[in-house]
């Protein structure tokens, strides 16, 4: 990140833009990581990941059971592992 300080208003606007850009990059990286980590039988759980105003969510009713380890395709805690991987990349 590189900022040139020219005044309070300009610096504040530059910081807000940088924060928004970082947030958007992290959210996109996290969404990709979650989709890649979600086990697939029908594809419904993987496609259930989406962005909302509040953040990233998955409304598929059984995604919690998948994350608890009900699938042989992905280990328990795959959501938390995907979050860790996304954060490490940033």
């Amino acid at each position: 990140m590189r900022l040139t300080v020219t005044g309070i208003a300009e610096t504040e606007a530059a910081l807000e833009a940088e924060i928004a850009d970082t947030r958007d990059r992290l959210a996109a990286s996290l969404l990709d990581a979650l989709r890649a980590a979600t086990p697939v039988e029908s594809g419904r759980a993987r496609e259930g990941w989406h962005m909302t105003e509040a953040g990233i969510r998955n409304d598929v009713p059984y995604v919690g059971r998948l994350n608890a380890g009900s699938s042989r395709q992905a280990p328990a805690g795959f959501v938390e592992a995907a979050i860790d991987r996304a954060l490490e990349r940033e």
Side-chain angles (χ1 to χ4, degrees):
M1 177 174 85
R2 183 175 178 183
L3 295 173
T4 302
V5 178
T6 56
I8 297 296
E10 294 85 359
T11 301
E12 183 179 358
L15 282 170
E16 287 175 0
E18 187 66 32
I19 290 167
D21 182 54
T22 300
R23 179 200 61 226
D24 293 346
R25 273 194 336 269
L26 180 57
S29 178
L30 177 56
L31 188 61
D32 289 344
L34 287 167
R35 285 181 175 154
T38 302
V40 176
E41 185 172 308
S42 69
R44 183 175 173 210
R46 180 172 282 180
E47 293 305 315
W49 294 109
H50 58 278
M51 299 285 283
T52 68
E53 289 288 321
I56 297 173
R57 60 182 297 131
N58 189 325
D59 295 323
V60 174
Y62 54 85
V63 76
R65 288 191 307 273
L66 289 174
N67 192 49
S70 69
S71 172
R72 288 179 283 195
Q73 296 179 29
F78 70 86
V79 170
E80 293 81 359
I83 292 168
D84 289 344
R85 281 192 303 279
L87 290 172
E88 287 171 1
R89 284 189 291 236
E90 287 301 316

